[in-house]
Amino acid sequence: MPAYKAPLRDMRFLMNEVFDYPTHYANLPGGEEATPDLVDAILDECAKYCEEVLAPINQSGDEEGCHFADGVVTTPKGFKDAYDQYVAGGWQGLNYPAEYGGQGLPMSMGLLKAEMMGTANWSFTMYPGLSLGCMNTIMLHGDAEQKATYMPPLVEGRWLGTMCLTEPQCGTDLGQVKTKAEAQADGSYKLYGTKIFISAGDHDLSENIVHIVLARLPDAPKGTRGISLFIVPKYNVNADGSLGERNPVNVGSIEHKMGIRASATCVLNFDGANAYLIGPANKGLECMFTFMNTARIGTAVQGVCHAEQSFQGALPYAKDRRSMRALSGKKDTDHAADSLIHHGDVRRMLLTQKAVAEGGRAMVYFASQLADNMSVGIINGDIETYDYWDDKLGFYTPILKGVLTELGLEAANLGMQVFGGHGYIKEHGMEQYARDARIATLYEGTTGIQALDLLGRKVLLGSRGKVVREFTAEIAKFCRDNVANKAMRPFVWELTKIVTQWNYLTVRIMLQARKDRDLVGTAANDFLMYSGYAMLAYFWAKMAAVAFDKLENGGNDEPAFYEAKIQTAEFYFDRLLPRAKGHADSMLKPTASVMQMKPEHFNFG
């Protein structure tokens, strides 16, 4: 199993030299505690925990999987001890308010932590990670009593939480939710229904689990307008905060999955479970989606994690494994064959992994600064500030979630390919990365859902193209600022063409969709992928500009680091960005070739 080494050098390059996190934190209300020294110390400690505690149980956890017997879920060997260390380190409350026992640091610190943890062991990271949506929902929509009861133990990590949405008959279409809530005389409710695909739905890590559940009141309107949100603890909570008897939330089974096998994915049956309304009645979906942008960024991080993880596994192998001679002549003259890294196609694969991991990291780190600003509005109860930054973030999230998870899966598959046949063998660990990465394109909304969200909701209906115009205006300004720099001109020229083409494609789709509504569906995936390649190009150009400057004026790292940044940017623009042209050509094609075949003609045999 490849060892994990936290990419602190690259993380600090982005934080300190590209996005100026120290100034961002200093200007953030409540961010003054996040001093450079403190941030560095946290990164170092988190890296140590991930490298020494989480990474060593990643492969063993996959091999063992979770256990389910007599209604009880048990995590693999080593997970409980690793979680106890996580709680002892105060990691769960890193970016939650001090009034609940947290450290009150900016939200982005949680994403930096999540990247390292997720790369070291994604299955483990899902247990505390799924709790964040529960905590955020209670913090924003819970009443004073609910916050006082649930937030301190959740922030401490003594309790964990889940989000329970999906049912057997519905996944994305939550308007079909059937779970029922019956009012009780004391103001509480009884819940009846079944939820499926509940990550971390049950386990042995924490003393209690707090479920946030979508359900319907008896007189609720049909569809999404009639869904309410409820708190349902695994163990009932007494008035003094102690735990009472087991609530009738029963595990029906756990799923046997392709990947993330050490993460328990449960079928939960609510058999008259005690439940407590959170937020207004029939407004549950609105409350639920309050934090959807940050949840999707959290899943986008998984794409970065698996690209980084697979790159770290493939690179040493490519340097050590010898096969044939390089086409340009002998490289390792003391050996009978040259290392794989001297072969052009292997380099293509490694550079693709590197470009996705480091470019995706830049996209996520920038978006996390927007999330910091959004969280200030939440903590201060300033809905206007929250809505402004949530809208800004909303343009990024489907691109980050959809494109980075697709590219992360590609990078994980490339890691197997570098190993050749050995990549298919479990002992090397590379096939696990590919299996674990596969789910990222599915949960928190499939890639197709992200594409419709971007093109349908955000671009066409929500802003009539304004979000694209605003983002491309930002790119255009970058181009103007760097056009005089001879070294940057190749990047500037390509970005200038993207500015024009992206807006042209948006207008064309907008006009054609008026006559043919199916165009939105047939073009959405290509539009999403085009947008992702364009956005990655912009952030790679930003990193290249900083690297050129540091080579000339001095930076925090040695020249070779900045030279590698520039060379990776050149690879991205030469070899990966041209994919965008294919997506541009495809998205404007007539819908007939997709929609004309009758359903009965989709057959076989």
Side-chain angles (χ1 to χ4, degrees):
M1 185 73 177
Y4 169 65
K5 183 68 176 175
L8 293 175
R9 184 167 68 167
D10 195 58
M11 295 170 70
R12 286 176 170 133
F13 167 70
L14 293 174
M15 294 176 69
N16 299 324
E17 298 182 292
V18 179
F19 298 126
D20 194 6
Y21 265 63
T23 299
H24 166 70
Y25 284 156
N27 292 331
L28 202 65
E32 58 275 0
E33 296 295 324
T35 62
D37 287 344
L38 178 63
V39 171
D40 277 344
I42 290 172
L43 292 178
D44 287 338
E45 282 302 308
C46 189
K48 181 179 178 181
Y49 171 70
C50 293
E51 293 168 1
E52 298 179 4
V53 179
L54 296 188
I57 59 172
N58 188 35
Q59 188 173 30
S60 62
D62 174 72
E63 291 173 351
E64 180 182 349
C66 293
H67 305 277
F68 177 63
D70 300 322
V72 177
V73 178
T74 307
T75 54
K77 182 180 179 181
F79 271 50
K80 182 66 170 71
D81 178 63
Y83 185 71
D84 289 344
Q85 293 185 55
Y86 176 84
V87 173
W91 293 110
Q92 189 72 334
L94 187 67
N95 54 284
Y96 282 89
E99 65 183 291
Y100 303 125
Q103 299 176 45
L105 295 170
M107 182 180 286
S108 55
M109 289 298 299
L111 284 168
L112 302 176
K113 173 195 74 177
E115 185 206 332
M116 286 190 278
M117 289 180 60
T119 312
N121 191 325
W122 186 263
S123 286
F124 176 91
T125 304
M126 290 189 68
Y127 291 100
L130 266 296
S131 194
L132 301 181
C134 169
M135 296 159 67
N136 292 340
T137 302
I138 294 173
M139 187 170 66
L140 190 61
H141 299 294
D143 59 31
E145 183 179 354
Q146 290 169 340
K147 292 177 184 178
T149 300
Y150 295 102
M151 285 302 293
L154 284 167
V155 168
E156 182 184 347
R158 189 159 40 90
W159 298 357
L160 284 173
T162 74
M163 304 295 284
C164 300
L165 289 71
T166 305
E167 298 185 4
Q169 76 285 351
C170 69
T172 301
D173 185 6
L174 294 173
Q176 298 185 54
V177 163
K178 293 181 179 179
T179 299
K180 298 185 299 182
E182 296 182 357
Q184 305 299 298
D186 62 358
S188 67
Y189 295 81
K190 296 286 187 182
L191 250 60
Y192 299 88
T194 296
K195 298 289 183 178
I196 65 170
F197 298 160
I198 307 306
S199 298
D202 198 63
H203 49 76
D204 58 352
L205 301 183
S206 61
E207 64 184 41
N208 201 8
I209 301 174
V210 181
H211 305 289
I212 302 295
V213 187
L214 289 178
R216 290 187 182 280
L217 297 170
D219 58 349
K222 293 182 179 180
T224 57
R225 294 179 301 162
I227 301 176
S228 299
L229 200 59
F230 297 87
I231 298 174
V232 186
K234 175 179 177 179
Y235 289 96
N236 291 312
V237 183
N238 298 320
D240 62 358
S242 63
L243 297 184
E245 63 184 9
R246 175 72 184 261
N247 208 1
V249 181
N250 301 305
V251 184
S253 64
I254 60 174
E255 304 295 349
H256 301 282
K257 307 188 297 291
M258 173 182 177
I260 55 168
R261 297 183 64 250
S263 170
T265 303
C266 302
V267 174
L268 294 182
N269 296 313
F270 296 84
D271 301 315
N274 296 319
Y276 308 91
L277 183 69
I278 179 171
N282 302 326
K283 299 291 184 182
L285 208 56
E286 295 175 27
C287 296
M288 242 295 310
F289 280 98
T290 299
F291 278 86
M292 188 54 71
N293 279 336
T294 48
R296 286 177 173 171
I297 292 177
T299 309
V301 168
Q302 187 176 354
V304 176
C305 290
H306 285 110
E308 176 69 36
Q309 190 181 49
S310 191
F311 176 67
Q312 289 198 16
L315 181 60
Y317 187 82
K319 290 181 176 180
D320 293 340
R321 177 76 170 182
R322 301 183 186 281
S323 181
M324 302 181 292
R325 289 298 186 186
L327 295 179
S328 56
K330 294 181 181 180
K331 304 299 180 184
D332 300 330
T333 54
D334 294 337
H335 299 274
D338 292 326
S339 299
L340 292 179
I341 200 166
H342 294 298
H343 298 298
D345 191 56
V346 173
R347 283 180 168 248
R348 173 191 63 82
M349 293 188 284
L350 292 171
L351 282 166
T352 299
Q353 293 176 303
K354 182 176 172 64
V356 171
E358 296 177 11
R361 182 176 295 120
M363 290 167 64
V364 168
Y365 281 25
F366 177 80
S368 70
Q369 291 186 325
L370 303 182
D372 282 339
N373 293 323
M374 183 189 73
S375 67
V376 169
I378 294 167
I379 293 169
N380 295 337
D382 184 350
I383 299 301
E384 186 176 338
T385 296
Y386 164 78
D387 286 341
Y388 175 82
W389 289 107
D390 186 58
D391 284 344
K392 287 281 188 185
L393 195 60
F395 175 66
Y396 288 84
T397 49
I399 299 174
L400 266 61
K401 196 283 179 184
V403 176
L404 291 185
T405 57
E406 289 286 349
L407 294 180
L409 176 60
E410 177 186 345
N413 282 318
L414 288 175
M416 287 180 63
Q417 198 75 10
V418 170
F419 273 70
H422 292 285
Y424 203 63
I425 306 302
K426 280 184 175 292
E427 68 184 86
H428 296 288
M430 302 304 290
E431 57 84 36
Q432 181 189 339
Y433 300 158
R435 287 188 289 106
D436 286 353
R438 188 63 186 88
I439 186 61
T441 67
L442 302 175
Y443 56 18
E444 289 297 340
T446 63
T447 304
I449 293 299
Q450 305 305 321
L452 287 172
D453 179 45
L454 175 65
L455 181 57
R457 284 189 65 235
K458 306 291 175 57
V459 174
L460 299 182
L461 295 178
S463 71
R464 296 187 61 79
K466 182 182 177 183
V467 288
V468 174
R469 293 194 296 273
E470 288 179 344
F471 187 74
T472 52
E474 182 181 327
I475 298 176
K477 182 181 183 303
F478 173 84
C479 292
R480 291 193 298 271
D481 292 344
N482 287 276
V483 70
N485 183 342
K486 184 178 179 180
M488 284 296 297
R489 284 178 189 166
F491 303 113
V492 167
W493 172 239
E494 291 299 326
L495 287 176
T496 301
K497 290 191 289 185
I498 284 173
V499 167
T500 303
Q501 187 177 45
W502 203 349
N503 281 288
Y504 167 76
L505 293 169
T506 303
V507 173
R508 278 288 303 275
I509 291 174
M510 194 181 306
L511 293 174
Q512 289 180 220
R514 292 177 180 177
K515 301 177 182 179
D516 184 356
R517 294 292 180 87
D518 281 329
L519 182 67
V520 178
T522 61
N525 185 268
D526 286 307
F527 187 87
L528 173 77
M529 296 306 297
Y530 177 92
S531 301
Y533 285 119
M535 187 175 283
L536 267 169
Y538 172 52
F539 282 100
W540 265 114
K542 286 176 73 72
M543 288 188 282
V546 171
F548 279 123
D549 176 70
K550 299 305 177 183
L551 283 174
E552 183 176 350
N553 300 308
N556 297 338
D557 223 309
E558 70 272 12
F561 174 83
Y562 300 114
E563 290 168 358
K565 279 291 173 193
I566 294 165
Q567 290 164 357
T568 310
E570 291 171 343
F571 169 83
Y572 179 83
F573 272 75
D574 281 354
R575 299 286 177 157
L576 299 183
L577 183 58
R579 297 179 182 183
K581 184 180 185 301
H583 290 294
D585 291 343
S586 181
M587 74 177 77
L588 295 179
K589 296 298 183 183
T591 62
S593 59
V594 178
M595 305 303 297
Q596 64 188 354
M597 187 180 293
K598 295 179 180 180
E600 58 268 27
H601 292 165
F602 283 83
N603 56 28
F604 53 87

